[in-house]
């Protein structure tokens, strides 16, 4: 008798094989290239933060770092769980849409989902309003790993939660020291360091009594 994880996996696998070819192709592309979009958002967040307060820049720098920590924790857990991939372990399952990873590249938890969950949380913390984009991206990434046939549903659920939790803890725990580093970098005499850290918000022009701004003639 099939277990519940096997049943859920088979339901998604059957749906994937009955889906239109364009949807299968889109899932195959997204399951790998979607992570690149998170990388683009990290760069955009850093660029945006160069002219923002030091706290904002600290959060922007912590976003990819927190995501990396999410991956490391997921990989460490994966190395001790040794769960075989469903594309090899589930009897009667249709062929996965992408090549089944080799034995030793274990299934639980999903590193892709952990990275996506960590990136979604870290970006949401560093860029107000970004949660409405990053959370759907992470959910689609997680689902795509089951859709293409290389993970059980519980692999991606745990991956999302694990990555998100690790990213939250890293961002909150390291925010203060990284902010101090940003402030130090912004006061540096090294132009390259200042360019990377950004100069922060421009000071508002002061005004003299009577409403005349300094420097205005």
């Amino acid at each position: 008798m099939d277990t519940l994880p096997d049943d859920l996996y088979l339901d998604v696998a059957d749906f994937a094989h009955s889906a239109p070819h364009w949807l299968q192709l889109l899932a195959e592309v997204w399951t790998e290239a979607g992570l690149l979009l998170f990388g683009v958002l990290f760069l955009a967040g850093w660029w945006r933060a160069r002219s923002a307060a030091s706290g904002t820049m600290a959060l922007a720098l912590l976003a990819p770092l927190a995501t990396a920590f999410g991956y490391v924790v997921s990989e460490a857990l994966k190395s001790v769980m040794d769960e075989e991939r469903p594309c090899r372990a589930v009897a009667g399952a249709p062929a996965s849409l992408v090549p089944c990873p080799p034995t030793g590249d274990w299934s639980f938890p999903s590193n892709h989902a952990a990275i996506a969950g960590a990136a979604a949380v870290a970006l949401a913390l560093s860029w107000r309003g970004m949660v409405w984009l990053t959370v759907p991206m992470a959910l689609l990434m997680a689902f795509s790993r089951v859709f293409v046939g290389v993970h059980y549903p519980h692999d991606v659920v745990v991956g999302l939660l694990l990555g998100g939790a690790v990213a939250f803890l890293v961002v909150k725990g390291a925010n203060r020291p990284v902010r101090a580093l940003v402030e130090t970098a912004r006061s540096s005499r090294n132009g390259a360091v200042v360019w990377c850290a950004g100069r922060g918000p421009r000071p508002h022009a002061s005004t003299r009594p009577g409403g005349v701004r300094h420097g205005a003639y």
Side-chain angles (χ1 to χ4, degrees):
M1 181 180 294
D2 290 333
T3 64
L4 179 59
D6 288 0
D7 288 342
L8 292 174
Y9 173 79
L10 287 170
D11 287 342
V12 177
D14 290 341
F15 167 70
H17 277 265
S18 65
H21 178 69
W22 64 266
L23 183 57
Q24 295 176 351
L25 182 60
L26 185 62
E28 292 175 32
V29 171
W30 177 254
T31 199
E32 297 296 344
L35 296 180
L36 297 178
L37 184 53
F38 280 114
V40 171
L41 292 176
F42 289 147
L43 288 174
W46 161 75
W47 186 260
R48 166 182 172 270
R50 290 174 70 252
S51 60
S54 296
T56 302
M57 174 55 82
L59 292 173
L61 294 176
L62 279 169
L65 180 63
T67 300
F69 269 92
Y71 164 75
V72 169
V73 173
S74 174
E75 181 63 25
L77 182 58
K78 182 191 291 281
S79 68
V80 299
M81 295 303 295
D82 295 359
E83 178 187 74
E84 187 58 271
R85 296 275 181 167
C87 42
R88 203 169 8 257
V90 177
S96 56
L97 298 183
V98 298
C100 191
T103 299
D105 186 352
W106 307 115
S107 189
F108 179 86
S110 166
N111 282 343
H112 281 71
I115 293 171
V121 170
L123 283 165
L125 291 172
S126 65
W127 194 336
R128 182 173 297 179
M130 189 56 64
V131 65
W132 302 111
L133 174 62
T134 61
V135 168
M137 285 173 56
L139 292 175
L140 285 173
M141 171 59 65
F143 179 74
S144 74
R145 300 304 289 166
V146 184
F147 186 91
V148 300
V150 296
H151 277 292
Y152 291 102
H154 65 265
D155 295 339
V156 300
V157 171
V158 172
L160 282 173
L161 295 176
L162 179 65
V166 170
F168 181 85
L169 293 175
V170 170
V171 169
K172 292 300 183 180
N175 184 30
R176 182 173 296 179
V178 173
R179 179 174 181 169
L181 287 174
V182 170
E183 292 173 350
T184 300
R186 285 180 168 179
S187 62
S188 172
R189 295 182 180 180
N190 187 306
V193 172
V194 174
W195 185 86
C196 290
R199 297 186 180 276
R202 294 182 179 181
H204 295 291
S206 59
T207 58
R208 292 174 179 169
V212 180
R213 292 185 300 174
H214 287 292
Y217 298 96

